[in-house]
Amino acid sequence: MTLFDIAKKNVRGNLRSYLIYFVSMIFSVIVYYTFVSLQYSEEIQGSLQSSEVMRSVFMGASIVLILFVSVFILYSNSFFTKKRKKEVGLYSLLGIRKKTIGRMLFYENLIMGTAGLAAGVALGTLLSKLFTMIFLKLLDSAIEVSFGIAWEAIVNTTLVFAVIILFTSFRAYRLIYRFKLIELFQADKEGEQAPKASLAAAVIAVILLSGSYWLAFQPMVTSQQMGRNFLLFIGGMIVGTYLLFRFAIGRLLRASQANKSRYYKGMKIVDTSQLLFRITGNTRTLTMIALLSAVTLSAAGVGYSMYYSNQQNADEAAPFSYSFISTGGSLDQQAERIITEDAKHPVMAQMDIPVIVIKGDVSALSYVPSGFPADELPLKLISARAYNKASGALNRKENVGLSGNQAAAIRSRYSGDLTLSDYKGHSISLITPQEKRTVTFVSLLEENVLRWSYPDVSIVVSDSVFNEIARHISPVIYKVYKVEDQQTTKEVTNQLTKMAAEDVQMSSYYTVYREGLENAGLNIFILGFLGLVFLAATGSIIYFKQLTEAHADKARYDILRKIGVSRKEVRASVAKQTFFVFALPLAVGIGHSSMILKALTSINLIVGSVAVPIITSMAVYVVIYLAYYMLTVHSVNKIVNN
Amino acid sequence: MIQPVVEAKQVNKVYGGKGNVYTALDQIDLTVQEGEFVGIMGPSGSGKSTLLNMLATIDQPTSGDIVIAGTSILKMNEEQLSIFRRDRLGFIFQDFNLLDTLTVRENILLPLALAKMNIHELERRVDEIADKFGIRQILDKYPTHISGGQKQRTAASRAIVSKPSLILADEPTGALDSKSATDLLESLRDLNEQDKSTILMVTHDAFAASYCKRVLFIKDGRMFTELVKGHANRKEFFNKVLDVLSVLGGGISDVI
């Protein structure tokens, strides 16, 4: 029997105990392969017009995945190794040469890795079709997905994993050299002692976490502020979380032991002391899971809210279906003919909006778009009559009545935190060649009627002021159209874009909507995909960790059963302890992600109505997490309660 | 009148089936009266541990009946058995079976906590027992930080803290040096003589058996013979036990 045979037999004979490592190996391969094969799939490349952007986004995401997958495999590999230290020690004790043991472990790892790779690619091929279909569905694209094997993806995946497998195999080979024989036999006893719960560290944890939570509520306007605050915010969160699990939780458990009459009641004494014993060894796992959950929840929240609010964004950025600046010539008529002849999208409303483009001194206002001087800011003036008419054409209720030097501000996009009091009573001067005309704000309008362009400062003035200024600066005419079913005007939009010159600012709702959808679809897909990966990983990490601990706990539960604890009580105890281990990082993760999302909202990375998508993604997360919890309780119970 | 604490009638235990039957216990009858200190001896594989496990309610006989403290344990369900073990039985095992996540104090009071006893009574009992076994100064240590003898005294404290009807000891001196073993056995004897505790001890060791008032010998799943100490002193009884063991054979002599 050669060494290779022994290694092969080892894997086959112990497949059950190897399963944990094997499954995480397959999982990693599936995830990576699926993602890479999407990257190479023709359907996806073709269906996105901006495939250059997509490729780079995919590239970035696959780098994140490689990092993640390597860490995950190394993690489960060291888990696996820890479980087998005793076995390796025994081989050595029985007199097998170190070199022989090392080679045996090397082969074993190689076999498992290769098998995992093959299985992962096979399963991944099936799954990648499913994911491609989901992706295209998100993009509103009705393209058929063919079932194919992406050779580039297989080569790519094989290369990446060959490196990882060789690395772990080499580590396995080195195992017997890295440890003394006695250390191999004591592997089980590592990291199992009641923690020293330093009060100071617990207090620091609370201070760091509340400090970074507080930062999330601070305004971040300049990019300098943003950089500094985010650095402090994330740093405080990571360190705070670690200290929280390392010291504060132990402290709390210790405190709960102080009430003897409650502590010495039923299984509580066992539950609490076991958790306390495990908390030191679990600190890193719990921290990692809390932070991964936070990242996953934030990512899913951002992705989904972008997708969810795409229509709202498009409505804001392009209130009318089509809009362009009149040139007074044949172009106007040609465009009008194209728009009105489109039978599938009948015109519901059309009008001309006269707009005066002027510079103004807005030093008195609190919001000035960055990159522009406050005393010479480009403004767009609209008359109250035109605004009301446009508002009517868009079926909106918002109206304005102005007289004399009264003016109304239209809310700029991404300035959601400004209120009427930031404008009311403040004056600005409009600079005409002849004079400086001062107008005073009386109200703030929520919705613009012009398409969005930066700097987005539109002001409604009374008809008399508008006409007066119009004598010095002639208004440009925005020709706007509202059509039915404006999300599907691809052909007309293409024709108009081809025909229009640069200076007419031809814009259509479709373009904005479609661009948003592509970005949001890509985002939700990538973020959702990464989110699922992280979720599966966090779930698996706790699951495997709990299972490993269950094997160590089995003896304890046997003792308890002998001194009169019923199976039912053991089950309840398992459920309670597992709940603690699951719920704690989840609660911290949800707390963290709420703060991250809050911070992202204050820098306008998330806009629009976010409550629904964020709550939805959290709910989905919690449900999947719950399934992991129940699976874990079931498996652990099966181990300790038999 | 003295009540029998344990009554095992015609107990059989058969393992396996279909052509590969192994009889671990064959028609065993056993009665232990209240206040007795009974030893069970026999070579490895004689079935003494099987018998103890059945009395401990963690294993069931194939046929026969076992009555402990007036209750037939074969008619109880899992839940009732757990409560029965908790309230009526105390265990001392060869490998101590202490929970390493609990301090010595917590290990001792565990059965009382499980029974949800009032905190004052609970603490009073722990103190009383800790004094009896001389482990008061190690109450707040963890089992990994105390010696084997201290561990076994802790286990013995846990076994008697709930004032069980029957204390079952499975090779309690097996992992102890002779000094610790003697200390433990003397504690058990005191417990039996002063507190009238009923103790059933399975052992390999003639020295340990000599502390009992009565020793039963099992061979190949059957009751072999019985020795009663009567008015003999421990030394004399020890020699008697050795005599029986030499007749019994079966690899037990090498232990002595």
Side-chain angles (χ1 to χ4, degrees), chain A residues 117-152:
Chain A
L117 182 61
V121 168
L123 285 168
T125 307
L126 296 174
L127 283 176
S128 63
K129 181 181 155 73
L130 179 75
F131 275 106
T132 312
M133 289 194 309
I134 294 174
F135 186 30
L136 293 174
K137 174 88 189 124
L138 285 171
L139 290 188
D140 270 353
S141 186
I143 294 175
E144 277 290 305
V145 183
S146 58
F147 185 82
I149 295 169
W151 291 109
E152 293 111 315

Coordinates of all heavy atoms in Angstrom, one line a residue, chain A residues 117-152:
Chain A
L117 N -13.0 21.3 -6.1 CA -12.9 22.1 -7.2 C -13.8 21.6 -8.3 O -14.6 22.3 -8.9 CB -11.5 22.2 -7.7 CG -11.2 23.2 -8.9 CD1 -11.6 24.6 -8.6 CD2 -9.7 23.1 -9.3
A118 N -13.7 20.3 -8.6 CA -14.5 19.6 -9.7 C -16.0 19.7 -9.3 O -16.8 20.2 -10.2 CB -14.1 18.2 -9.8
A119 N -16.3 19.4 -8.1 CA -17.7 19.4 -7.7 C -18.3 20.8 -7.8 O -19.4 21.1 -8.3 CB -17.9 18.9 -6.3
G120 N -17.5 21.8 -7.3 CA -17.9 23.2 -7.3 C -18.1 23.7 -8.7 O -19.1 24.4 -9.0
V121 N -17.2 23.4 -9.7 CA -17.4 23.8 -11.0 C -18.7 23.2 -11.6 O -19.5 23.9 -12.3 CB -16.2 23.5 -11.9 CG1 -16.5 23.7 -13.4 CG2 -15.0 24.4 -11.4
A122 N -18.9 21.9 -11.4 CA -20.1 21.3 -11.9 C -21.4 21.9 -11.4 O -22.2 22.3 -12.2 CB -20.1 19.8 -11.5
L123 N -21.4 22.1 -10.1 CA -22.6 22.7 -9.5 C -22.7 24.2 -10.0 O -23.8 24.7 -10.2 CB -22.6 22.7 -8.0 CG -22.9 21.3 -7.4 CD1 -22.5 21.3 -5.9 CD2 -24.3 21.0 -7.6
G124 N -21.6 24.8 -10.0 CA -21.6 26.2 -10.4 C -22.1 26.4 -11.8 O -22.8 27.4 -12.1
T125 N -21.8 25.5 -12.7 CA -22.3 25.6 -14.1 C -23.9 25.7 -14.1 O -24.5 26.5 -14.8 CB -21.9 24.4 -14.9 OG1 -20.4 24.3 -14.8 CG2 -22.2 24.6 -16.4
L126 N -24.5 24.8 -13.2 CA -25.9 24.9 -13.2 C -26.4 26.2 -12.6 O -27.3 26.8 -13.1 CB -26.4 23.7 -12.3 CG -26.1 22.3 -12.8 CD1 -26.5 21.3 -11.8 CD2 -26.9 22.1 -14.1
L127 N -25.7 26.6 -11.5 CA -26.2 27.8 -10.8 C -26.0 29.1 -11.6 O -26.8 30.0 -11.4 CB -25.5 27.9 -9.4 CG -26.0 26.9 -8.4 CD1 -25.2 27.1 -7.1 CD2 -27.5 27.3 -8.0
S128 N -24.9 29.1 -12.4 CA -24.6 30.3 -13.0 C -25.7 30.7 -14.0 O -26.0 31.9 -14.3 CB -23.3 30.3 -13.7 OG -23.3 29.3 -14.7
K129 N -26.4 29.7 -14.6 CA -27.5 29.9 -15.5 C -28.7 30.6 -14.7 O -29.2 31.6 -15.2 CB -28.0 28.6 -16.1 CG -29.1 28.8 -17.1 CD -29.6 27.5 -17.6 CE -31.0 27.5 -18.1 NZ -31.3 28.2 -19.3
L130 N -28.9 30.1 -13.5 CA -29.9 30.6 -12.7 C -29.7 32.1 -12.4 O -30.5 33.0 -12.5 CB -30.0 29.8 -11.4 CG -31.1 30.3 -10.4 CD1 -32.4 29.9 -10.9 CD2 -30.8 29.6 -9.0
F131 N -28.4 32.3 -12.0 CA -28.0 33.7 -11.6 C -28.1 34.7 -12.8 O -28.5 35.8 -12.7 CB -26.7 33.7 -11.0 CG -26.7 33.4 -9.5 CD1 -26.2 32.2 -9.1 CD2 -27.2 34.4 -8.6 CE1 -26.3 31.9 -7.7 CE2 -27.2 34.1 -7.3 CZ -26.8 32.9 -6.8
T132 N -27.7 34.1 -14.0 CA -27.8 35.0 -15.2 C -29.2 35.4 -15.5 O -29.5 36.5 -15.8 CB -27.2 34.2 -16.4 OG1 -26.0 33.7 -16.1 CG2 -27.0 35.2 -17.6
M133 N -30.1 34.4 -15.3 CA -31.6 34.7 -15.5 C -32.1 35.8 -14.6 O -32.8 36.7 -15.0 CB -32.4 33.4 -15.5 CG -32.1 32.5 -16.6 SD -33.3 31.2 -16.8 CE -33.4 30.5 -15.2
I134 N -31.7 35.6 -13.3 CA -32.1 36.6 -12.3 C -31.6 38.0 -12.7 O -32.3 39.0 -12.7 CB -31.6 36.2 -10.9 CG1 -32.2 34.9 -10.4 CG2 -31.8 37.4 -9.9 CD1 -31.6 34.4 -9.2
F135 N -30.3 38.0 -13.1 CA -29.7 39.3 -13.4 C -30.4 40.0 -14.6 O -30.7 41.1 -14.5 CB -28.2 39.0 -13.8 CG -27.4 40.2 -14.1 CD1 -27.7 41.4 -13.4 CD2 -26.3 40.1 -15.0 CE1 -26.9 42.5 -13.6 CE2 -25.5 41.2 -15.2 CZ -25.8 42.4 -14.5
L136 N -30.7 39.2 -15.6 CA -31.3 39.8 -16.8 C -32.7 40.2 -16.5 O -33.2 41.2 -17.0 CB -31.3 38.8 -18.0 CG -29.9 38.6 -18.5 CD1 -29.8 37.5 -19.6 CD2 -29.2 39.9 -19.0
K137 N -33.4 39.5 -15.6 CA -34.7 39.9 -15.2 C -34.7 41.2 -14.5 O -35.5 42.1 -14.7 CB -35.2 38.8 -14.2 CG -36.6 39.1 -13.6 CD -37.7 38.6 -14.5 CE -39.0 39.1 -13.9 NZ -39.8 39.8 -14.9
L138 N -33.7 41.4 -13.7 CA -33.5 42.7 -13.0 C -33.3 43.9 -13.9 O -33.7 45.0 -13.6 CB -32.3 42.6 -12.0 CG -32.5 41.8 -10.7 CD1 -31.2 41.7 -10.0 CD2 -33.5 42.5 -9.8
L139 N -32.7 43.6 -15.1 CA -32.5 44.6 -16.1 C -33.7 44.8 -17.0 O -33.6 45.4 -18.0 CB -31.2 44.3 -16.9 CG -29.9 44.4 -16.1 CD1 -28.8 44.3 -17.1 CD2 -29.8 45.8 -15.4
D140 N -34.8 44.1 -16.7 CA -35.9 44.2 -17.6 C -35.6 43.7 -19.0 O -36.2 44.1 -20.0 CB -36.4 45.7 -17.8 CG -37.4 46.0 -16.7 OD1 -37.8 45.1 -16.0 OD2 -37.8 47.2 -16.7
S141 N -34.7 42.8 -19.1 CA -34.3 42.3 -20.4 C -34.9 40.9 -20.7 O -34.8 40.1 -19.9 CB -32.7 42.2 -20.5 OG -32.3 42.0 -21.8
A142 N -35.4 40.8 -21.9 CA -36.1 39.5 -22.2 C -35.3 38.6 -23.0 O -35.7 37.9 -23.9 CB -37.4 39.8 -22.9
I143 N -34.0 38.6 -22.8 CA -33.1 37.7 -23.6 C -33.1 36.3 -23.0 O -33.1 36.1 -21.8 CB -31.7 38.3 -23.5 CG1 -31.6 39.7 -24.2 CG2 -30.7 37.4 -24.2 CD1 -30.3 40.4 -24.1
E144 N -33.1 35.4 -24.0 CA -33.0 34.0 -23.6 C -31.6 33.7 -23.2 O -30.6 34.1 -23.8 CB -33.4 33.1 -24.8 CG -34.9 32.9 -25.0 CD -35.5 32.1 -23.9 OE1 -35.0 30.9 -23.7 OE2 -36.5 32.5 -23.3
V145 N -31.5 32.9 -22.1 CA -30.2 32.5 -21.7 C -29.9 31.1 -22.2 O -30.6 30.2 -21.8 CB -30.0 32.5 -20.1 CG1 -28.6 32.2 -19.7 CG2 -30.5 33.9 -19.6
S146 N -28.8 31.0 -22.9 CA -28.5 29.6 -23.4 C -27.7 28.9 -22.3 O -27.0 29.6 -21.5 CB -27.6 29.7 -24.7 OG -26.5 30.5 -24.4
F147 N -27.7 27.6 -22.3 CA -27.0 26.8 -21.3 C -25.6 26.5 -21.9 O -25.5 25.6 -22.7 CB -27.8 25.6 -20.9 CG -27.2 24.9 -19.8 CD1 -27.4 25.3 -18.5 CD2 -26.4 23.8 -20.1 CE1 -26.9 24.6 -17.5 CE2 -25.8 23.1 -19.0 CZ -26.1 23.5 -17.7
G148 N -24.6 27.1 -21.3 CA -23.3 26.8 -21.9 C -22.3 26.7 -20.8 O -22.5 27.0 -19.7
I149 N -21.1 26.1 -21.2 CA -20.0 26.0 -20.3 C -19.0 27.0 -20.7 O -18.6 27.1 -21.8 CB -19.4 24.6 -20.3 CG1 -20.5 23.6 -19.8 CG2 -18.2 24.5 -19.5 CD1 -20.1 22.1 -20.1
A150 N -18.7 27.9 -19.7 CA -17.7 28.9 -20.0 C -16.3 28.5 -19.7 O -15.9 28.3 -18.6 CB -18.1 30.2 -19.2
W151 N -15.6 28.2 -20.8 CA -14.2 27.6 -20.6 C -13.3 28.6 -19.9 O -12.5 28.2 -19.1 CB -13.7 27.2 -22.0 CG -14.4 26.0 -22.5 CD1 -15.3 25.9 -23.5 CD2 -14.4 24.7 -21.9 NE1 -15.8 24.7 -23.6 CE2 -15.3 23.9 -22.7 CE3 -13.8 24.1 -20.8 CZ2 -15.5 22.5 -22.4 CZ3 -14.0 22.8 -20.5 CH2 -14.9 22.0 -21.3
E152 N -13.5 29.9 -20.3 CA -12.6 30.9 -19.7 C -12.8 30.9 -18.2 O -11.9 31.0 -17.4 CB -12.9 32.3 -20.2 CG -12.5 32.5 -21.7 CD -13.8 32.7 -22.5 OE1 -14.7 31.9 -22.3 OE2 -13.8 33.6 -23.3

